[in-house]
Amino acid sequence: MAINYNDEKIGKFYQAILHYGEEQRKKIEEEVAAFKQKELDEAEIGVLTEAYHLIQKEMAQMRSGIARELAQREMDGRRALLEQRRKIMEQVFSRAAEELRAYTQKPEYAALLQTYACNLSSAFQKEGTVILLRKEDAPYQQQIAEAFGQPCRFETDPTIRIGGLRAYNSAMGIMADETLDAMLEDQRGWFEENSGLTLAG
């Protein structure tokens, strides 16, 4: 009877140990599973965070690239417009120069040269004045001298391409320009402002 009692006691003790061992095993498995899940969650968060930073970096680079491309396109566009404006202006001034050269072939041109000579005479009151003109305008020297009304001498000036007169007096230290070339050139500023071809800033 005592043996049975002991056997039963041992059996229960053994069962208790097995039950405790099973509980501990489950507990450990649960802890291991929780630890693995925590590690996985942390790894997932790490991967997502890294992916987020990578996406942000890519987006920043993309925005920067787009901004650079737009700036380059704008600059290229402005350069093309400036070049187009320059071509238009050169065409306009080239045609104007042709019209003025055609005018120098008309009889009225002689009267214009006399007007210019008269204008110059008011500034050049001393002897030693040199009047510069185109080689083609040499036939008008007598009329110019009469309109100038003071002693002067003439020289041809190859830089006067359209017409008109220049004068200088070394003793007085002055020079004056009454050429059609200079008058046309002076119109460039006015043309730029009033042609409607000015680029907005």
Side-chain angles (χ1 to χ4, degrees):
M1 190 80 171
I3 292 169
N4 286 344
Y5 174 75
N6 283 337
D7 284 348
E8 190 179 330
K9 196 173 180 181
I10 289 167
K12 285 183 179 178
F13 180 70
Y14 182 71
Q15 287 294 327
I17 289 172
L18 284 176
H19 181 69
Y20 176 76
E22 185 65 25
E23 283 182 350
Q24 289 300 310
R25 186 182 66 79
K26 283 182 182 177
K27 189 176 177 183
I28 289 166
E29 283 177 354
E30 286 171 3
E31 285 177 359
V32 167
F35 178 76
K36 282 183 178 178
Q37 190 59 48
K38 185 184 171 193
E39 289 288 308
L40 283 171
D41 289 347
E42 285 178 0
E44 186 179 359
I45 289 168
V47 168
L48 289 173
T49 302
E50 193 176 327
Y52 173 77
H53 289 312
L54 182 64
I55 289 166
Q56 291 297 313
K57 184 180 174 185
E58 290 293 326
M59 283 176 67
Q61 287 177 347
M62 198 162 50
R63 278 195 296 266
S64 176
I66 289 168
R68 274 198 307 274
E69 189 177 341
L70 286 173
Q72 185 62 45
R73 282 185 185 179
E74 185 181 354
M75 199 163 66
D76 291 345
R78 286 180 68 81
R79 195 178 292 120
L81 284 171
L82 282 168
E83 180 58 23
Q84 186 62 23
R85 183 180 74 173
R86 188 193 65 76
K87 283 181 182 175
I88 291 169
M89 191 161 80
E90 289 308 316
Q91 286 171 0
V92 168
F93 277 79
S94 178
R95 283 200 297 270
E98 286 172 19
E99 290 290 323
L100 288 169
R101 282 191 197 94
Y103 175 77
T104 64
Q105 303 303 311
K106 296 180 179 179
E108 306 94 270
Y109 179 59
L112 182 68
L113 289 174
Q114 287 174 302
T115 300
Y116 289 161
C118 191
N119 293 344
L120 291 169
S121 69
S122 61
F124 295 87
Q125 299 291 326
K126 291 185 179 178
E127 289 188 19
T129 298
V130 178
I131 294 178
L132 307 169
L133 39 63
R134 290 187 311 163
K135 183 174 66 176
E136 295 88 340
D137 294 339
Y140 302 115
Q141 285 184 10
Q142 183 62 39
Q143 292 164 277
I144 293 166
E146 287 173 7
F148 188 67
Q150 300 172 55
C152 63
R153 64 187 178 85
F154 289 91
E155 289 179 6
T156 57
D157 184 346
T159 67
I160 302 173
R161 296 170 197 257
I162 302 172
L165 305 172
R166 284 193 190 108
Y168 72 89
N169 188 308
S170 300
M172 294 176 70
I174 60 170
M175 182 171 186
D177 195 322
E178 288 276 343
T179 61
L180 295 170
D181 304 64
M183 291 172 195
L184 179 61
E185 197 61 30
D186 285 346
Q187 294 303 307
R188 284 184 181 269
W190 180 90
F191 181 84
E192 285 182 6
E193 288 177 17
N194 296 278
S195 63
L197 297 174
T198 304
L199 296 179

mmCIF file of all heavy atoms in Angstrom, residues 76-107:
data_model
loop_
_atom_site.group_PDB
_atom_site.id
_atom_site.type_symbol
_atom_site.label_atom_id
_atom_site.label_comp_id
_atom_site.label_asym_id
_atom_site.label_seq_id
_atom_site.Cartn_x
_atom_site.Cartn_y
_atom_site.Cartn_z
ATOM 1 N N ASP A 76 18.335 79.688 -71.908
ATOM 2 C CA ASP A 76 18.459 79.442 -73.346
ATOM 3 C C ASP A 76 17.393 80.219 -74.113
ATOM 4 O O ASP A 76 17.666 80.767 -75.185
ATOM 5 C CB ASP A 76 18.324 77.939 -73.647
ATOM 6 C CG ASP A 76 19.514 77.140 -73.133
ATOM 7 O OD1 ASP A 76 20.552 77.758 -72.811
ATOM 8 O OD2 ASP A 76 19.401 75.905 -73.033
ATOM 9 N N GLY A 77 16.170 80.238 -73.546
ATOM 10 C CA GLY A 77 15.076 80.979 -74.180
ATOM 11 C C GLY A 77 15.367 82.463 -74.251
ATOM 12 O O GLY A 77 15.162 83.099 -75.286
ATOM 13 N N ARG A 78 15.886 83.016 -73.141
ATOM 14 C CA ARG A 78 16.226 84.442 -73.105
ATOM 15 C C ARG A 78 17.353 84.747 -74.090
ATOM 16 O O ARG A 78 17.328 85.765 -74.780
ATOM 17 C CB ARG A 78 16.639 84.868 -71.692
ATOM 18 C CG ARG A 78 15.465 84.960 -70.726
ATOM 19 C CD ARG A 78 15.911 85.380 -69.347
ATOM 20 N NE ARG A 78 16.382 86.741 -69.321
ATOM 21 C CZ ARG A 78 15.601 87.807 -69.255
ATOM 22 N NH1 ARG A 78 14.296 87.681 -69.220
ATOM 23 N NH2 ARG A 78 16.116 89.018 -69.230
ATOM 24 N N ARG A 79 18.322 83.829 -74.152
ATOM 25 C CA ARG A 79 19.446 84.030 -75.073
ATOM 26 C C ARG A 79 18.949 84.034 -76.522
ATOM 27 O O ARG A 79 19.358 84.872 -77.330
ATOM 28 C CB ARG A 79 20.474 82.908 -74.873
ATOM 29 C CG ARG A 79 21.825 83.193 -75.497
ATOM 30 C CD ARG A 79 22.831 82.090 -75.236
ATOM 31 N NE ARG A 79 23.215 82.006 -73.857
ATOM 32 C CZ ARG A 79 23.055 80.939 -73.079
ATOM 33 N NH1 ARG A 79 22.512 79.844 -73.557
ATOM 34 N NH2 ARG A 79 23.448 80.942 -71.822
ATOM 35 N N ALA A 80 18.028 83.099 -76.831
ATOM 36 C CA ALA A 80 17.476 83.029 -78.184
ATOM 37 C C ALA A 80 16.674 84.292 -78.508
ATOM 38 O O ALA A 80 16.771 84.832 -79.613
ATOM 39 C CB ALA A 80 16.590 81.790 -78.327
ATOM 40 N N LEU A 81 15.899 84.775 -77.530
ATOM 41 C CA LEU A 81 15.119 85.998 -77.743
ATOM 42 C C LEU A 81 16.021 87.215 -77.936
ATOM 43 O O LEU A 81 15.758 88.064 -78.790
ATOM 44 C CB LEU A 81 14.179 86.244 -76.556
ATOM 45 C CG LEU A 81 12.930 85.358 -76.503
ATOM 46 C CD1 LEU A 81 12.207 85.546 -75.184
ATOM 47 C CD2 LEU A 81 11.993 85.654 -77.655
ATOM 48 N N LEU A 82 17.092 87.272 -77.138
ATOM 49 C CA LEU A 82 18.043 88.382 -77.280
ATOM 50 C C LEU A 82 18.700 88.366 -78.655
ATOM 51 O O LEU A 82 18.866 89.409 -79.289
ATOM 52 C CB LEU A 82 19.121 88.302 -76.187
ATOM 53 C CG LEU A 82 18.709 88.776 -74.798
ATOM 54 C CD1 LEU A 82 19.750 88.365 -73.765
ATOM 55 C CD2 LEU A 82 18.525 90.283 -74.767
ATOM 56 N N GLU A 83 19.040 87.154 -79.108
ATOM 57 C CA GLU A 83 19.663 87.028 -80.428
ATOM 58 C C GLU A 83 18.674 87.427 -81.522
ATOM 59 O O GLU A 83 19.034 88.117 -82.483
ATOM 60 C CB GLU A 83 20.143 85.585 -80.640
ATOM 61 C CG GLU A 83 20.801 85.320 -81.977
ATOM 62 C CD GLU A 83 22.014 86.195 -82.265
ATOM 63 O OE1 GLU A 83 22.648 86.720 -81.326
ATOM 64 O OE2 GLU A 83 22.323 86.371 -83.458
ATOM 65 N N GLN A 84 17.411 87.016 -81.359
ATOM 66 C CA GLN A 84 16.375 87.371 -82.335
ATOM 67 C C GLN A 84 16.160 88.878 -82.355
ATOM 68 O O GLN A 84 16.029 89.487 -83.423
ATOM 69 C CB GLN A 84 15.067 86.641 -81.990
ATOM 70 C CG GLN A 84 13.962 86.818 -83.017
ATOM 71 C CD GLN A 84 14.332 86.254 -84.392
ATOM 72 O OE1 GLN A 84 15.180 85.386 -84.514
ATOM 73 N NE2 GLN A 84 13.695 86.762 -85.423
ATOM 74 N N ARG A 85 16.124 89.481 -81.153
ATOM 75 C CA ARG A 85 15.946 90.933 -81.061
ATOM 76 C C ARG A 85 17.111 91.659 -81.734
ATOM 77 O O ARG A 85 16.923 92.626 -82.451
ATOM 78 C CB ARG A 85 15.841 91.370 -79.597
ATOM 79 C CG ARG A 85 15.587 92.860 -79.444
ATOM 80 C CD ARG A 85 15.476 93.274 -78.010
ATOM 81 N NE ARG A 85 16.765 93.292 -77.363
ATOM 82 C CZ ARG A 85 16.975 93.744 -76.139
ATOM 83 N NH1 ARG A 85 15.968 94.176 -75.422
ATOM 84 N NH2 ARG A 85 18.181 93.743 -75.606
ATOM 85 N N ARG A 86 18.336 91.148 -81.487
ATOM 86 C CA ARG A 86 19.521 91.766 -82.093
ATOM 87 C C ARG A 86 19.435 91.707 -83.621
ATOM 88 O O ARG A 86 19.722 92.688 -84.317
ATOM 89 C CB ARG A 86 20.783 91.043 -81.612
ATOM 90 C CG ARG A 86 22.086 91.715 -82.037
ATOM 91 C CD ARG A 86 23.270 90.815 -81.825
ATOM 92 N NE ARG A 86 23.222 89.640 -82.678
ATOM 93 C CZ ARG A 86 23.508 89.637 -83.969
ATOM 94 N NH1 ARG A 86 23.851 90.747 -84.593
ATOM 95 N NH2 ARG A 86 23.441 88.511 -84.671
ATOM 96 N N LYS A 87 18.996 90.547 -84.163
ATOM 97 C CA LYS A 87 18.878 90.392 -85.622
ATOM 98 C C LYS A 87 17.849 91.365 -86.193
ATOM 99 O O LYS A 87 18.090 91.990 -87.233
ATOM 100 C CB LYS A 87 18.475 88.952 -85.963
ATOM 101 C CG LYS A 87 19.620 87.959 -85.863
ATOM 102 C CD LYS A 87 19.151 86.580 -86.239
ATOM 103 C CE LYS A 87 20.288 85.565 -86.092
ATOM 104 N NZ LYS A 87 19.818 84.188 -86.346
ATOM 105 N N ILE A 88 16.695 91.466 -85.512
ATOM 106 C CA ILE A 88 15.642 92.367 -85.983
ATOM 107 C C ILE A 88 16.149 93.809 -85.986
ATOM 108 O O ILE A 88 15.961 94.558 -86.950
ATOM 109 C CB ILE A 88 14.372 92.239 -85.112
ATOM 110 C CG1 ILE A 88 13.717 90.875 -85.352
ATOM 111 C CG2 ILE A 88 13.385 93.365 -85.395
ATOM 112 C CD1 ILE A 88 12.620 90.530 -84.368
ATOM 113 N N MET A 89 16.834 94.180 -84.883
ATOM 114 C CA MET A 89 17.341 95.550 -84.773
ATOM 115 C C MET A 89 18.374 95.835 -85.863
ATOM 116 O O MET A 89 18.347 96.908 -86.484
ATOM 117 C CB MET A 89 17.943 95.779 -83.382
ATOM 118 C CG MET A 89 18.237 97.235 -83.106
ATOM 119 S SD MET A 89 18.421 97.597 -81.347
ATOM 120 C CE MET A 89 20.076 97.060 -81.081
ATOM 121 N N GLU A 90 19.257 94.862 -86.126
ATOM 122 C CA GLU A 90 20.270 95.064 -87.163
ATOM 123 C C GLU A 90 19.616 95.202 -88.536
ATOM 124 O O GLU A 90 20.053 96.010 -89.362
ATOM 125 C CB GLU A 90 21.285 93.912 -87.162
ATOM 126 C CG GLU A 90 22.220 93.911 -85.963
ATOM 127 C CD GLU A 90 22.911 95.249 -85.733
ATOM 128 O OE1 GLU A 90 23.379 95.866 -86.711
ATOM 129 O OE2 GLU A 90 22.968 95.690 -84.568
ATOM 130 N N GLN A 91 18.559 94.420 -88.777
ATOM 131 C CA GLN A 91 17.852 94.519 -90.060
ATOM 132 C C GLN A 91 17.220 95.896 -90.215
ATOM 133 O O GLN A 91 17.314 96.520 -91.283
ATOM 134 C CB GLN A 91 16.759 93.442 -90.146
ATOM 135 C CG GLN A 91 17.303 92.041 -90.375
ATOM 136 C CD GLN A 91 16.225 90.979 -90.242
ATOM 137 O OE1 GLN A 91 15.076 91.284 -89.972
ATOM 138 N NE2 GLN A 91 16.604 89.724 -90.420
ATOM 139 N N VAL A 92 16.568 96.360 -89.140
ATOM 140 C CA VAL A 92 15.910 97.674 -89.177
ATOM 141 C C VAL A 92 16.935 98.774 -89.437
ATOM 142 O O VAL A 92 16.742 99.635 -90.300
ATOM 143 C CB VAL A 92 15.155 97.946 -87.854
ATOM 144 C CG1 VAL A 92 14.719 99.400 -87.748
ATOM 145 C CG2 VAL A 92 13.943 97.026 -87.740
ATOM 146 N N PHE A 93 18.059 98.734 -88.696
ATOM 147 C CA PHE A 93 19.065 99.789 -88.839
ATOM 148 C C PHE A 93 19.826 99.687 -90.165
ATOM 149 O O PHE A 93 20.252 100.694 -90.717
ATOM 150 C CB PHE A 93 20.017 99.797 -87.637
ATOM 151 C CG PHE A 93 19.446 100.564 -86.473
ATOM 152 C CD1 PHE A 93 18.487 99.990 -85.654
ATOM 153 C CD2 PHE A 93 19.809 101.872 -86.224
ATOM 154 C CE1 PHE A 93 17.921 100.703 -84.607
ATOM 155 C CE2 PHE A 93 19.260 102.597 -85.186
ATOM 156 C CZ PHE A 93 18.308 102.012 -84.374
ATOM 157 N N SER A 94 19.947 98.466 -90.675
ATOM 158 C CA SER A 94 20.585 98.292 -91.980
ATOM 159 C C SER A 94 19.711 98.911 -93.075
ATOM 160 O O SER A 94 20.213 99.608 -93.968
ATOM 161 C CB SER A 94 20.801 96.798 -92.248
ATOM 162 O OG SER A 94 21.359 96.607 -93.515
ATOM 163 N N ARG A 95 18.392 98.686 -92.979
ATOM 164 C CA ARG A 95 17.466 99.283 -93.959
ATOM 165 C C ARG A 95 17.455 100.806 -93.834
ATOM 166 O O ARG A 95 17.407 101.521 -94.837
ATOM 167 C CB ARG A 95 16.043 98.718 -93.766
ATOM 168 C CG ARG A 95 15.886 97.319 -94.329
ATOM 169 C CD ARG A 95 14.429 96.964 -94.570
ATOM 170 N NE ARG A 95 13.643 96.949 -93.345
ATOM 171 C CZ ARG A 95 13.467 95.883 -92.582
ATOM 172 N NH1 ARG A 95 14.036 94.733 -92.912
ATOM 173 N NH2 ARG A 95 12.724 95.946 -91.494
ATOM 174 N N ALA A 96 17.486 101.290 -92.583
ATOM 175 C CA ALA A 96 17.495 102.750 -92.364
ATOM 176 C C ALA A 96 18.754 103.362 -92.968
ATOM 177 O O ALA A 96 18.696 104.433 -93.594
ATOM 178 C CB ALA A 96 17.415 103.051 -90.864
ATOM 179 N N ALA A 97 19.897 102.687 -92.795
ATOM 180 C CA ALA A 97 21.156 103.191 -93.363
ATOM 181 C C ALA A 97 21.077 103.247 -94.887
ATOM 182 O O ALA A 97 21.541 104.206 -95.519
ATOM 183 C CB ALA A 97 22.324 102.304 -92.922
ATOM 184 N N GLU A 98 20.444 102.215 -95.493
ATOM 185 C CA GLU A 98 20.284 102.199 -96.952
ATOM 186 C C GLU A 98 19.425 103.366 -97.415
ATOM 187 O O GLU A 98 19.725 104.011 -98.436
ATOM 188 C CB GLU A 98 19.648 100.873 -97.389
ATOM 189 C CG GLU A 98 20.600 99.691 -97.330
ATOM 190 C CD GLU A 98 19.884 98.362 -97.584
ATOM 191 O OE1 GLU A 98 18.767 98.395 -98.139
ATOM 192 O OE2 GLU A 98 20.449 97.322 -97.217
ATOM 193 N N GLU A 99 18.340 103.624 -96.654
ATOM 194 C CA GLU A 99 17.452 104.753 -96.996
ATOM 195 C C GLU A 99 18.213 106.085 -96.917
ATOM 196 O O GLU A 99 18.053 106.967 -97.775
ATOM 197 C CB GLU A 99 16.258 104.801 -96.040
ATOM 198 C CG GLU A 99 15.263 103.664 -96.225
ATOM 199 C CD GLU A 99 14.491 103.779 -97.530
ATOM 200 O OE1 GLU A 99 14.160 104.910 -97.941
ATOM 201 O OE2 GLU A 99 14.237 102.728 -98.158
ATOM 202 N N LEU A 100 19.044 106.220 -95.875
ATOM 203 C CA LEU A 100 19.812 107.456 -95.712
ATOM 204 C C LEU A 100 20.854 107.605 -96.820
ATOM 205 O O LEU A 100 21.078 108.717 -97.329
ATOM 206 C CB LEU A 100 20.487 107.483 -94.333
ATOM 207 C CG LEU A 100 19.540 107.701 -93.145
ATOM 208 C CD1 LEU A 100 20.264 107.445 -91.837
ATOM 209 C CD2 LEU A 100 18.955 109.115 -93.168
ATOM 210 N N ARG A 101 21.475 106.485 -97.207
ATOM 211 C CA ARG A 101 22.453 106.551 -98.307
ATOM 212 C C ARG A 101 21.755 106.964 -99.615
ATOM 213 O O ARG A 101 22.311 107.724 -100.415
ATOM 214 C CB ARG A 101 23.144 105.190 -98.494
ATOM 215 C CG ARG A 101 24.226 104.929 -97.474
ATOM 216 C CD ARG A 101 25.081 103.720 -97.825
ATOM 217 N NE ARG A 101 25.807 103.280 -96.659
ATOM 218 C CZ ARG A 101 25.405 102.330 -95.821
ATOM 219 N NH1 ARG A 101 24.264 101.702 -96.044
ATOM 220 N NH2 ARG A 101 26.120 101.999 -94.779
ATOM 221 N N ALA A 102 20.545 106.439 -99.809
ATOM 222 C CA ALA A 102 19.776 106.821 -101.004
ATOM 223 C C ALA A 102 19.472 108.316 -100.970
ATOM 224 O O ALA A 102 19.510 108.993 -102.006
ATOM 225 C CB ALA A 102 18.483 106.003 -101.068
ATOM 226 N N TYR A 103 19.206 108.844 -99.772
ATOM 227 C CA TYR A 103 18.910 110.272 -99.625
ATOM 228 C C TYR A 103 20.124 111.118 -100.024
ATOM 229 O O TYR A 103 19.966 112.201 -100.596
ATOM 230 C CB TYR A 103 18.492 110.580 -98.179
ATOM 231 C CG TYR A 103 18.277 112.046 -97.925
ATOM 232 C CD1 TYR A 103 17.115 112.693 -98.357
ATOM 233 C CD2 TYR A 103 19.252 112.811 -97.281
ATOM 234 C CE1 TYR A 103 16.928 114.051 -98.143
ATOM 235 C CE2 TYR A 103 19.077 114.173 -97.062
ATOM 236 C CZ TYR A 103 17.910 114.780 -97.497
ATOM 237 O OH TYR A 103 17.736 116.130 -97.286
ATOM 238 N N THR A 104 21.336 110.620 -99.724
ATOM 239 C CA THR A 104 22.544 111.403 -100.044
ATOM 240 C C THR A 104 22.751 111.548 -101.558
ATOM 241 O O THR A 104 23.589 112.342 -101.997
ATOM 242 C CB THR A 104 23.817 110.782 -99.413
ATOM 243 O OG1 THR A 104 24.045 109.486 -99.987
ATOM 244 C CG2 THR A 104 23.696 110.677 -97.909
ATOM 245 N N GLN A 105 21.987 110.782 -102.350
ATOM 246 C CA GLN A 105 22.088 110.893 -103.814
ATOM 247 C C GLN A 105 21.133 111.959 -104.360
ATOM 248 O O GLN A 105 21.197 112.300 -105.544
ATOM 249 C CB GLN A 105 21.743 109.540 -104.461
ATOM 250 C CG GLN A 105 22.594 108.379 -103.984
ATOM 251 C CD GLN A 105 24.081 108.611 -104.193
ATOM 252 O OE1 GLN A 105 24.504 108.991 -105.290
ATOM 253 N NE2 GLN A 105 24.862 108.408 -103.143
ATOM 254 N N LYS A 106 20.262 112.486 -103.494
ATOM 255 C CA LYS A 106 19.262 113.461 -103.947
ATOM 256 C C LYS A 106 19.813 114.887 -103.869
ATOM 257 O O LYS A 106 20.706 115.168 -103.066
ATOM 258 C CB LYS A 106 18.004 113.341 -103.083
ATOM 259 C CG LYS A 106 17.306 111.992 -103.231
ATOM 260 C CD LYS A 106 16.081 111.900 -102.367
ATOM 261 C CE LYS A 106 15.385 110.566 -102.554
ATOM 262 N NZ LYS A 106 14.193 110.415 -101.713
ATOM 263 N N PRO A 107 19.253 115.790 -104.645
ATOM 264 C CA PRO A 107 19.716 117.189 -104.641
ATOM 265 C C PRO A 107 19.578 117.863 -103.265
ATOM 266 O O PRO A 107 20.390 118.729 -102.919
ATOM 267 C CB PRO A 107 18.805 117.872 -105.666
ATOM 268 C CG PRO A 107 18.270 116.770 -106.514
ATOM 269 C CD PRO A 107 18.213 115.562 -105.659
#
